[in-house]
Amino acid sequence: MRRAALAGAAVAFATAALAACGSSGGGPATAGGTPSGPAASAPAVTGPAVPGPSGAPGGEPAGEDAREAGPQDAETPDLPKVPADEITPATGTFSKPQKEYLTDRVPQGMDPAAVLQTGQETCDRLRYLVKADRDIAVAAIVTGEVADAEPAVAHLCPRHQDLVDEAALGYPDGTHTGAALRPGRYRAPSPTKDCAWRLTGAKGKELAAGSSDTGRPVSLTVPASATAFTSTGCYAWLPEGATR
């Protein structure tokens, strides 16, 4: 469980640090380049499921939809968005990258600075997690525990683009089928002691299956003939051989 414990500790560290000092990005940039407005404390981010006293994971495995989940306040699809040319801060100005991040993301009636703060906090979480363990940072994006990472990284912290690119090729716990399956070698860097997986092919034929109760990293190969890949308790699978 060393890696799973490290993952939980890293996320807890990031959350505690952000709550103590607020987002390093602060509010919107002023004309002089200095952030303005109070920095909000970071929303809590949970770590990978850690087994409880009975050995069962502490939470439900993250499914395929987890990667699509974003902050509810910044991503409210049923509310009309403020037109890009009307997005302005209460004081100062937004930089071009900030304005690009906010485009089509600010619901009517919401302070754009609050939406920007969400993106800045996402970048801060990634920065802290990378310092602890790069694999944990990538896995947190794969599972959606660091939510809405793609647009935040693209516009606000492009130095972390390699993490997003690698995460796009990974798998969270759940069942993956069809076009979502990519043949190759994968590793689970921080599984729980209840990690189990199964690969099936045509007509449900089992191609491979395995489990691990050590909490140490495990690897598997997804063959081209696989039609379904199911994982539970393994947290996230990352592609081996990715640029590091």
Side-chain angles (χ1 to χ4, degrees):
M1 285 299 293
R2 181 175 178 274
R3 297 281 297 197
L6 175 59
V11 177
F13 169 74
T15 302
L18 290 171
C21 63
S23 171
S24 63
T30 64
T34 303
S36 65
S41 60
V45 183
T46 58
V50 179
S54 64
E60 291 296 325
E64 183 74 14
D65 293 339
R67 283 182 286 184
E68 303 300 327
Q72 293 300 307
D73 58 345
E75 294 294 316
T76 310
D78 56 340
L79 292 179
K81 301 300 189 294
V82 177
D85 59 357
E86 296 180 12
I87 297 175
T88 56
T91 60
T93 60
F94 288 126
S95 67
K96 182 178 179 181
Q98 291 172 334
K99 191 72 172 287
E100 290 173 344
Y101 172 77
L102 292 170
T103 298
D104 297 325
R105 301 179 65 81
V106 182
Q108 293 283 356
M110 176 173 284
D111 181 0
V115 179
L116 178 61
Q117 184 77 8
T118 298
Q120 291 170 331
E121 288 169 353
T122 295
C123 290
D124 285 344
R125 292 188 190 99
L126 291 176
R127 177 166 56 87
Y128 279 109
L129 291 174
V130 166
K131 286 182 179 180
D133 190 299
R134 183 184 182 281
D135 282 347
I136 290 172
V138 176
I141 298 174
V142 170
T143 63
E145 291 190 23
V146 173
D148 214 27
E150 184 175 353
V153 168
H155 300 296
L156 304 178
C157 49
R159 64 186 177 279
H160 294 316
Q161 187 61 49
D162 62 315
L163 306 181
V164 173
D165 292 344
E166 184 175 342
L169 302 176
Y171 297 101
D173 277 336
T175 297
H176 310 277
T177 60
L181 287 179
R182 294 173 295 274
R185 188 74 175 167
Y186 296 84
R187 69 187 185 284
S190 54
T192 74
K193 289 187 176 181
D194 297 288
C195 175
W197 64 91
R198 183 170 182 260
L199 289 159
T200 56
K203 298 181 179 180
K205 178 182 178 181
E206 184 175 287
L207 303 177
S211 62
S212 175
D213 61 1
T214 66
R216 292 194 291 268
V218 292
S219 298
L220 60 77
T221 297
V222 176
S225 58
T227 59
F229 169 40
T230 299
S231 166
T232 59
C234 303
Y235 187 51
W237 297 88
L238 311 184
E240 289 192 346
T243 301
R244 303 177 63 78

